[in-house]
Each structure stands twice: as structure tokens, then as C-alpha cells.
Amino acid sequence: MSTQPIISVQNLNHYFGSGELRKQALFDINLEIYPGDIVIMTGPSGSGKTTLLSLMGGLRSAQEGSLKILSEEMCKATKKQLTQIRRQIGYIFQAHNLMTFLTAKENVRMSLELHDEMLNQDMDAKALAMLNTVGLGNRANYYPENLSGGQRQRVAIARALIGQPKIVLADEPTAALDKKSGRDVVELMQKLAKEQGCTILLVTHDNRILDIAVDAKRLVARHRIIYMEDGQLKDEG
Ligand code: ADP
Ligand code: MG
């Protein structure tokens, strides 16, 4: 039995700017990611991690080569195709981007409202259940300003996962957190990914997170660590 990759990248190049200022940011990237994989991407600042992640998340349009997400070609994709794909992906960023004027529960619920098929379900109950899962059931009615950094990031995880996305992208999700919160956040993401069977792509240059990943790698075969340098993907390991 052969499984199709959930993301397949072939000979992908990417450029910023035009004319004299055109600068190549990604060089001949090749990568296959399978359902249930947990891929940790690391490498120095400016090496192209965010650029590659945003392409793999349909957040910007691929220019050259091939990039397939859920079997759809994203190279020169239309805005409509990108929007369609994004509905199936959960995003977690360094700055959690919660709405300050909505409570924790309302923030999580908002993400459900984007899914038409959810509109006739009890979205409040679902949002609350998800907050319970991330250990914040007792903070459902708090506004972000009254939550700690780690708690806000857990709300962001609840928001990203509630639509049961097939793919979750996280760009430096622990950068603003202390050691313990950072560890908790990553372990929580791993646990939820395993329960929901989703694929995780996580960018970090946080050594504490890499330690967890190296530990986890011994336990979970689907864990991979990949390394970017100067816009190129180096060998795994
Ligand atoms: P990383 O996430 O590894 O720090 P990035 O993907 O953000 O790296 O950046 C890779 C390279 O592309 C850097 O040289 C950066 O300056 C350049 N770059 C990133 N985004 C843009 C942009 N919007 N416009 C121009 N250059 C960019
Ligand atoms: Mg970056």
C-alpha cells in the first residue's frame, strides 16, 4: 500500500523583488511530507524557513518548480485555489494574533465560523471542549490581556486545531515563551496532532524544542528534523 504525500515539493525556487533587486530566497527545494508526519525545520535566521513554510501553507503563491498541497498544484495557483487550501490548514504564529476584544472562547469559536459545515452545530460547546483539551476550560471567558504568554499560545493552538485541519503550520510558536511554557506548548501540539492524526510543520531555532524533538524522535518514527541554510535544504539529521 502506498500513501500519497500530503505535501510534495519538487525543484522549488523562490525569489523576492524584481529587476536589479531580484533576490533568490529558496534554491531547488525537494521535500515530501506524509500524513501524520511531524516535521521540525530549523536553521539560522534569514535561511528561508518562513518563506518555505508560508509557501507550504498556501500563504503565498509558488513561482517556480512544483509544490503540491493535498494533491493540488500550488505553483502559479489562483487566489481562489489558495483560499480553498488555507481552509484545510491551521496556523500558529509567534505572536499569537488573538483578537484582543474577544474572549478566549470567542477567539476559538471564530475559527469554526469559517467552516460552513459547522454552522448548524453547537459552536460554543465545541470551542469550550477544545479549551478544556488545552487545559484552559476555566479561562474561557478571559480576555487575552488577562492570560499569560503560555496560556495565549494555548488558545492559539485551540483555535488552529478546532477545525480539525489536516495540516498545522507553526512558525516559532515558542519564541516569546519561557522554558516551561515553551515545552508545554510543543508537547501539547504533539499530543493533539497524534490524537487528530494531523501533520505538523514547525519552525524553530529554539534548542530546548529541538531537544524535545530529538527525544521524541526515538519514540515516534514520524518525527523528522530538517535543516535550512542559505535558502537550501540540507540533509536531514
Ligand atoms: P528565516 O525565516 O529563516 O529567518 P526568511 O524566509 O524570513 O528566513 O527569509 C529568507 C530570505 O528572504 C532573507 O534573506 C530575507 O531577507 C528574504 N525575505 C523574506 N521575506 C521577504 C520579503 N517579503 N521581501 C524581500 N525579501 C524577503
Ligand atoms: Mg522566520
Side-chain angles (χ1 to χ4, degrees):
M1 197 192 83
S2 66
T3 315
Q4 291 284 329
I6 197 160
I7 296 177
S8 167
V9 185
Q10 280 169 359
N11 309 113
L12 183 72
N13 294 311
H14 196 81
Y15 308 84
F16 287 111
S18 58
E20 297 258 293
L21 294 174
R22 183 163 124 133
K23 181 172 169 272
Q24 189 163 358
L26 295 179
F27 297 80
D28 196 32
I29 306 288
N30 289 281
L31 179 66
E32 296 211 318
I33 297 170
Y34 289 87
D37 279 355
I38 298 182
V39 180
I40 315 245
M41 188 176 3
T42 185
S45 183
S47 59
K49 303 182 298 297
T50 295
T51 305
L52 179 56
L53 194 75
S54 59
L55 285 163
M56 293 196 292
L59 294 173
R60 60 171 89 242
S61 180
Q63 301 163 340
E64 200 176 287
S66 169
L67 168 69
K68 288 192 181 135
I69 308 175
L70 298 159
S71 303
E72 276 225 44
E73 179 59 59
M74 289 291 114
C75 193
K76 307 194 173 67
T78 61
K79 277 217 165 75
K80 195 174 165 211
Q81 282 175 295
L82 288 171
T83 311
Q84 208 71 37
I85 279 293
R86 279 183 213 142
R87 293 219 177 99
Q88 308 187 60
I89 302 180
Y91 305 92
I92 302 166
F93 300 104
Q94 172 182 339
H96 50 79
N97 295 319
L98 297 180
M99 301 283 178
T100 55
F101 52 89
L102 298 178
T103 64
K105 187 175 74 183
E106 289 164 346
N107 267 287
V108 175
R109 190 194 138 113
M110 199 184 69
S111 148
L112 269 185
E113 289 167 5
L114 302 172
H115 294 259
D116 298 341
E117 72 277 10
M118 298 283 182
L119 285 177
N120 44 18
Q121 301 192 24
D122 188 347
M123 293 192 288
D124 258 356
K126 274 197 185 302
L128 194 55
M130 194 69 210
L131 281 173
N132 269 317
T133 306
V134 301
L136 288 176
N138 59 352
R139 296 284 187 278
N141 298 319
Y142 282 49
Y143 287 90
E145 63 177 356
N146 297 320
L147 297 171
S148 71
Q151 289 171 336
R152 281 181 214 158
Q153 202 57 302
R154 281 189 277 152
V155 176
I157 292 175
R159 184 184 56 182
L161 290 172
I162 194 165
Q164 304 215 307
K166 297 197 177 73
I167 303 171
V168 173
L169 300 185
D171 197 353
E172 314 258 10
T174 62
L177 304 179
D178 62 52
K179 181 173 173 167
K180 166 108 180 32
S181 315
R183 203 169 246 274
D184 289 350
V185 159
V186 170
E187 284 174 352
L188 178 65
M189 284 180 61
Q190 292 173 330
K191 174 173 161 271
L192 293 174
K194 213 173 141 205
E195 284 169 12
Q196 299 197 359
C198 66
T199 304
I200 293 196
L201 278 155
L202 191 158
V203 168
T204 187
H205 51 227
D206 186 340
N207 281 325
R208 303 165 317 197
I209 301 316
L210 290 172
D211 288 347
I212 305 178
V214 171
D215 281 348
K217 221 178 138 165
R218 287 191 215 105
L219 304 170
V220 191
R222 307 313 279 280
H223 257 276
R224 289 156 64 190
I225 300 175
I226 62 176
Y227 186 76
M228 289 280 294
E229 199 176 295
D230 296 334
Q232 298 179 53
L233 199 55
K234 299 291 171 185
D235 286 341
E236 299 190 16

